[in-house]
Amino acid sequence: MIFNRTTEYAFRIMSFLASDKEKLHNTSDIFDALHIPFRYLRKQMTVLTKTGLVVSIQGKYGGYMLAKKEKDITLWDIVIAMHDKLFETNCFFGYEKCALSQHCMMHSRWAGVKEMIENILKTTTLEDFKKENMHDLIKMSDQ
Amino acid sequence: MIFNRTTEYAFRIMSFLASDKEKLHNTSDIFDALHIPFRYLRKQMTVLTKTGLVVSIQGKYGGYMLAKKEKDITLWDIVIAMHDKLFETNCFFGYEKCALSQHCMMHSRWAGVKEMIENILKTTTLEDFKKENMHDLIKMSDQ
DNA sequence: TATAAATAATACCTAAAGGTATCATATATG
DNA sequence: CATATATGATACCTTTAGGTATTATTTATA
Ligand code: SF4
Ligand code: SF4
């Protein structure tokens, strides 16, 4: 896997919240759309809230909404916020650090892969998903 | 992480075996070079043997060697043999399958990433590492 | 053929991620 | 101000990957 499951959940949750930025979405709404395990979803919503990407309103008629404009939240922001260890190491072989004086053949190739992924994540914002109507997309397809 | 740790170990082990294809390398030799946890290394060597990528000789003065020519073993072969779930799903969001009639914006972008990684893995053989003298490379750097 | 040195098989342990359950706290509204 | 309904905090359980320990089997050679 490239992203861990929890980060994938976060992508979907954030996309869903972007589908109507102004509305307050409660956990049941999100569950109905995404079918992420309910109690785990509850937990992850408070995690997302603590990251600052999402704002929560407590109490009756409470719920969640994006903390910033869709165009100001990138997928990269989400990966970072979720502490996904996607790029924990630079080394293709998983070495913490390489003591070699000159890089092996994989180093630059792998740097290319990293760069491509980072570039996609950094240039894709939730605004793009809104355009694509990810709301409907996500609703139809679970498991 | 992109590859799991065990697959990274396998890359290193196979590169090391490629450093001298004819010689029989026993677990202690491999351990001295790679410092993969010894007993886990032992276990993984029999796993690699069962995949058919490696041949083992049992008994005194036994050990391991590559089952095929270096140029005939790709990194992709290793990933497959280790059952790494790198590309378990096509979907950026981790969906098993997408019921949407037309793909979302991430689909083709993500397909591009997959294709790039697959292409590197499928076109890189152990022969390439031999040229690079990966043996020395791996020896110097652990943890 | 006994022994030493290697791999094979198997069972078990540990750490981290994913997921569940319970109770506490906040808040709109009658 | 009581209640219903929402999130927050916390503890615990489950699954999987990674790692360890023990015993069995193989085989070269003295
Ligand atoms: S040179 Fe090769 S072994 Fe060293 S850090 Fe880069 S990819 Fe890893
Ligand atoms: S179209 Fe989008 S949601 Fe559907 S499988 Fe492709 S990436 Fe996943």
Side-chain angles (χ1 to χ4, degrees):
Chain A
M1 132 217 38
I2 294 189
F3 304 109
N4 64 38
R5 180 172 298 191
T6 304
T7 298
E8 288 171 353
Y9 287 166
F11 287 147
R12 290 162 62 186
I13 292 164
M14 295 299 284
S15 302
F16 178 74
L17 293 182
S19 68
D20 188 347
K21 191 198 176 310
E22 300 313 317
K23 189 170 166 261
L24 215 52
H25 303 269
N26 68 23
T27 311
S28 295
D29 293 339
I30 303 171
F31 175 77
D32 289 343
L34 306 185
H35 291 90
I36 293 163
F38 188 80
R39 289 167 189 278
Y40 194 57
L41 175 59
R42 288 272 314 277
K43 194 195 230 175
Q44 290 312 126
M45 290 315 300
T46 78
V47 169
L48 281 169
T49 301
K50 282 186 187 160
T51 68
L53 293 176
V54 162
V55 167
S56 75
I57 306 292
Q58 291 190 50
K60 196 169 182 180
Y61 303 115
Y64 303 92
M65 58 188 297
L66 297 182
K68 297 190 275 186
K69 292 207 173 87
E70 297 95 320
K71 74 174 176 55
D72 294 327
I73 301 177
T74 66
L75 297 184
W76 182 255
D77 294 333
I78 298 171
V79 171
I80 297 299
M82 300 306 288
H83 300 111
D84 193 301
K85 308 207 183 65
L86 177 58
F87 293 138
E88 195 175 34
T89 176
N90 285 314
C91 176
F92 176 77
F93 294 94
Y95 288 118
E96 286 291 319
K97 55 171 182 280
C98 178
L100 193 63
S101 54
Q102 56 188 24
H103 286 153
C104 78
M105 61 176 301
M106 287 311 288
H107 200 92
S108 63
R109 295 193 194 186
W110 211 238
V113 169
K114 280 191 36 165
E115 199 172 341
M116 181 179 181
I117 295 178
E118 278 197 29
N119 196 49
I120 290 175
L121 296 177
K122 286 179 176 172
T123 60
T124 305
T125 73
L126 294 179
E127 175 73 14
D128 299 316
F129 288 109
K130 199 178 176 188
K131 279 179 201 150
E132 289 269 335
N133 208 358
M134 279 302 293
H135 177 72
D136 293 339
L137 167 73
I138 284 168
K139 211 160 197 168
M140 96 289 121
S141 163
D142 45 86
Q143 60 97 23
Chain B
M1 134 216 39
I2 294 190
F3 305 108
N4 64 38
R5 180 172 300 191
T6 304
T7 297
E8 288 171 354
Y9 287 166
F11 287 147
R12 290 161 62 186
I13 293 164
M14 295 298 284
S15 302
F16 177 74
L17 293 183
S19 68
D20 188 347
K21 190 200 176 308
E22 300 312 315
K23 188 168 168 262
L24 216 51
H25 303 269
N26 68 24
T27 310
S28 295
D29 293 339
I30 303 172
F31 175 78
D32 288 343
L34 306 185
H35 292 89
I36 294 162
F38 188 80
R39 290 169 189 276
Y40 193 58
L41 174 60
R42 288 273 314 277
K43 192 194 232 175
Q44 290 312 125
M45 290 316 300
T46 78
V47 169
L48 281 169
T49 301
K50 283 188 188 158
T51 68
L53 292 176
V54 162
V55 167
S56 75
I57 306 292
Q58 291 190 51
K60 198 169 182 181
Y61 304 114
Y64 304 91
M65 58 188 297
L66 297 182
K68 296 191 275 187
K69 293 206 175 87
E70 298 95 320
K71 72 174 179 54
D72 294 327
I73 301 177
T74 66
L75 296 184
W76 182 255
D77 294 333
I78 298 171
V79 171
I80 297 299
M82 300 307 288
H83 300 111
D84 193 301
K85 308 207 182 65
L86 177 60
F87 292 139
E88 196 176 33
T89 175
N90 285 314
C91 176
F92 176 78
F93 293 95
Y95 287 117
E96 285 292 319
K97 54 172 184 277
C98 179
L100 193 63
S101 54
Q102 56 189 24
H103 287 152
C104 77
M105 61 176 300
M106 286 313 287
H107 199 92
S108 63
R109 294 192 194 186
W110 211 238
V113 169
K114 280 191 37 163
E115 199 171 340
M116 181 180 182
I117 296 178
E118 279 197 28
N119 196 50
I120 290 175
L121 296 178
K122 286 179 175 170
T123 61
T124 306
T125 72
L126 294 180
E127 176 72 15
D128 299 317
F129 288 108
K130 199 176 175 189
K131 281 178 201 148
E132 290 271 335
N133 208 356
M134 278 303 292
H135 176 72
D136 293 339
L137 167 73
I138 286 167
K139 211 160 199 166
M140 95 290 124
S141 163
D142 45 85
Q143 61 94 24

